[in-house]
Amino acid sequence: MDTTKVAQDILTIAKRYGVEFCEVVATKTEISLKRIKQGQVDQPPAGEQWGIDLALVRKNRRKAVRFDNPFLGEELIGKMVAQMDLLPEQEIILPTDTFPSVSPRNELFNEKTTELDGEGRMITIKRVIQVLEKHGLFLSGKIAQARGRMTYENSLGVSQTMRFTLACAGLFAFDRYNPSVSAYASSGGISLDSLDTDRILRELVYKCDLARGKAKIDLFAQMREGEELKIDLIGEPYFFAPLFEWMGIFGFNGLFVEKGESFISGNIGNLITGSNVSIKDDPFDPRTQGMGIPFDFEGRPRKTLYLIEKGVARNAVYDNTLAKKYNHIPTGNALSPSFRSQGAVPFNLVIEGGNTSMEEMLANAIRPTLWVTKLHYPGMKHYQTATMTGVVSHGVFLIENGKVIGPVENVRFQESIPEAFKRIEAMSPSRLVFDPLNISFPGGVVVPAMKIKDFRFVGSTNHSV
């Protein structure tokens, strides 16, 4: 079945029921992945996934629904219309704009990847396993490929379609005799050729070797309950990518900005980070490696939008309803119909980096400095200050005088990210971080590694608060 045909069929059914407006997003993704557990391929699933997101407007009432069976359109629309008569009337801002169809972007699509050939994944896996085994390590994680097609259609005649391919690897290495020694690395893009396997292997082997044979340092061992630690931080792109994703959802979201719940609320035009920080939402930046989405979930063609420019807050993102309500211009960041009440978000964050390599940052770290790899379980503690928390893991080291002192117990941070970005001392060139959990749709964050002075930590795995 074709996503365009499914979307058009749903529009036809909705029109038959007399709705005033209908919009539908139909997505079909075929995924093939291999999970690796302790060096063995475990559960190599493959399958087809449908996602259909539909909204109807009738008599000043709106109802949205998500479902995964393209044959249920007639039944569900009938039920939706019956239920809508029971809903209270509300103010509804309907779109009036129509847009030309966006031309297909070849960089979103790799013909070879559409074959979803498992042999290519096994070649990569075998190579990684063989190298790790020589170093006494075993591999866990997953490697995946996907091909997909997404269509947006609405009653005004807006029709947009994109096809895409994806490939990613998120891999952990563990010491064969001491599983507390571990490292993480990932890579992704539109094809297996996008995977930087050499970099993954270098990172996994090097970090595990650094941790071997050494007791983990507990930075909070001699501290009293409630005491905090401020220490210089060198964070990998894996650490910063989820922080920026959360800032996109809660910070640059026009709904939160207008409600006064964002760190840029009332600060447009003001310096809010260091002047070396520039953040944009840009589906066309070549560093996205073809992961840019060319239109939003209202069918609006997307464009480059600066959110922070040289430390100054420039823009938030808005869908049609938010823009009309708060007197802004829609930015091409609408969520799918059933998530529309949650505001609008940037889809392709690009954070401009610098020219300092990770090796230079580590060599130049004279004061005690924490080198962290991966962020586990991030959370937003306070929206207005963008104060976030999370645990760093799978590669945490203490650096001093340019040398690795030893591995460190996992620690939890709690920090206002905009305030921390006023203390950035160095940045690496930016690169794409694509989380393999999101294999069903293009995405990722283009982000650098950073060195930040006096980052705030509040507890270790042994002394958490």
Side-chain angles (χ1 to χ4, degrees):
M1 297 184 67
D2 183 276
T3 55
T4 301
K5 183 180 185 308
V6 169
Q8 291 175 347
D9 287 348
I10 287 174
L11 285 178
T12 299
I13 295 167
K15 185 177 180 180
R16 209 164 56 230
Y17 275 89
V19 302
E20 298 159 20
F21 180 77
C22 172
E23 59 178 340
V24 58
V25 178
T27 307
K28 177 186 178 183
T29 311
E30 295 170 271
I31 298 173
S32 181
L33 68 89
K34 293 187 184 296
R35 292 190 177 96
I36 308 100
K37 185 176 181 180
Q38 297 186 356
Q40 300 294 318
V41 175
D42 178 53
Q43 296 178 333
E48 177 182 290
Q49 298 177 355
W50 273 90
I52 300 172
D53 201 320
L54 166 67
L56 306 177
V57 176
R58 184 171 180 266
K59 297 180 180 178
N60 294 321
R61 298 173 174 92
R62 182 182 186 273
K63 188 170 180 60
V65 67
R66 289 174 60 87
F67 56 102
D68 59 9
N69 186 337
F71 296 103
L72 290 180
E74 179 91 40
E75 178 183 345
L76 285 173
I77 289 174
K79 290 181 179 179
M80 290 171 70
V81 170
Q83 293 167 359
M84 289 170 75
D85 290 336
L86 304 176
L87 297 175
E89 292 189 16
Q90 56 182 307
E91 180 187 3
I92 295 175
I93 301 174
L94 289 177
T96 57
D97 297 329
T98 59
F99 319 105
S101 296
V102 175
S103 300
R105 293 180 60 195
N106 293 330
E107 63 266 31
L108 288 167
F109 195 80
N110 178 269
E111 198 68 46
K112 182 179 177 181
T113 306
T114 63
E115 301 171 6
L116 301 184
D117 179 20
E119 183 178 348
R121 294 193 304 279
M122 284 307 302
I123 291 173
T124 302
I125 291 171
K126 286 178 180 178
R127 181 190 170 206
V128 174
I129 288 175
Q130 287 171 358
V131 172
L132 294 183
E133 283 182 342
K134 291 179 182 178
H135 292 267
L137 304 169
F138 66 77
L139 178 70
S140 290
K142 80 174 183 181
I143 182 169
Q145 289 170 277
R147 64 187 180 203
R149 180 182 172 95
M150 191 270 278
T151 296
Y152 174 87
E153 300 259 352
N154 71 21
S155 302
L156 298 175
V158 176
S159 178
Q160 304 283 15
T161 295
M162 60 176 279
R163 60 177 187 165
F164 56 88
T165 56
L166 306 171
C168 63
L171 303 176
F172 297 84
F174 294 89
D175 185 273
R176 189 165 295 282
Y177 302 105
N178 182 6
S180 69
V181 173
S182 65
Y184 172 82
S186 75
S187 185
I190 64 168
S191 72
L192 288 177
D193 294 335
S194 304
L195 303 186
D196 193 343
T197 309
D198 290 339
R199 175 178 57 76
I200 287 175
L201 282 168
R202 285 196 306 271
E203 292 179 4
L204 294 179
V205 172
Y206 181 58
K207 290 179 183 177
C208 286
D209 282 348
L210 285 177
R212 276 182 161 149
K214 300 176 182 176
K216 285 190 174 182
I217 301 166
D218 186 349
L219 297 177
F220 285 82
Q222 305 302 318
M223 299 178 70
R224 293 191 297 271
E225 190 77 16
E227 283 189 291
E228 62 184 48
L229 172 69
K230 289 188 176 180
I231 186 172
D232 291 358
L233 169 86
I234 296 175
E236 302 259 2
Y238 311 121
F239 171 77
F240 286 110
L243 294 182
F244 281 106
E245 288 177 336
W246 278 68
M247 288 173 68
I249 295 170
F250 299 108
F252 301 117
N253 184 331
L255 178 63
F256 284 81
V257 172
E258 299 297 337
K259 291 168 64 177
E261 296 178 356
S262 163
F263 70 97
I264 67 171
S265 294
N267 280 316
I268 299 297
N270 295 334
L271 188 71
I272 59 170
T273 67
S275 60
N276 54 354
V277 176
S278 289
I279 304 171
K280 59 182 178 177
D281 182 32
D282 189 358
F284 310 111
D285 191 294
R287 291 168 293 183
T288 64
Q289 297 187 45
M291 306 291 273
I293 304 169
F295 53 86
D296 72 357
F297 294 100
E298 289 178 325
R300 186 180 302 274
R302 300 187 60 230
K303 59 184 180 181
T304 300
L305 182 73
Y306 268 94
L307 305 170
I308 293 178
E309 186 176 19
K310 295 182 179 179
V312 176
R314 293 298 185 196
N315 293 288
V317 296
Y318 296 84
D319 62 18
N320 177 72
T321 297
L322 285 170
K324 296 290 177 60
K325 184 175 181 179
Y326 295 108
N327 195 29
H328 288 280
I329 297 173
T331 57
N333 297 91
L335 295 170
S336 56
S338 63
F339 290 100
R340 199 70 55 74
S341 62
Q342 298 178 24
V345 300
F347 297 130
N348 296 106
L349 284 171
V350 176
I351 296 85
E352 294 297 342
N355 299 311
T356 307
S357 68
M358 279 289 303
E359 291 75 16
E360 290 174 300
M361 290 185 206
L362 297 171
N364 294 333
I366 304 303
R367 302 197 326 166
T369 301
L370 208 57
W371 172 23
V372 303
T373 301
K374 191 177 188 299
L375 175 57
H376 175 67
Y377 205 65
M380 185 73 76
K381 298 284 287 186
H382 190 267
Y383 295 143
Q384 288 91 340
T385 59
T387 296
M388 296 189 64
T389 186
V391 174
V392 293
S393 60
H394 297 295
V396 187
F397 300 94
L398 181 64
I399 313 294
E400 192 170 359
N401 293 318
K403 298 186 182 300
V404 177
I405 304 302
V408 174
E409 290 281 359
N410 297 346
V411 285
R412 174 175 291 280
F413 76 90
Q414 184 168 311
E415 177 68 271
S416 166
I417 304 305
E419 287 299 313
F421 286 171
K422 294 177 181 178
R423 306 190 299 274
I424 296 175
E425 296 184 333
M427 290 188 285
S428 74
S430 299
R431 64 174 174 84
L432 176 70
V433 175
F434 177 55
D435 190 335
L437 293 176
N438 299 328
I439 189 64
S440 60
F441 205 72
V445 180
V446 175
V447 61
M450 301 186 201
K451 183 176 187 294
I452 299 177
K453 185 178 179 179
D454 291 337
F455 207 78
R456 178 173 177 257
F457 289 89
V458 294
S460 72
T461 50
N462 290 335
H463 296 80
S464 60
V465 294

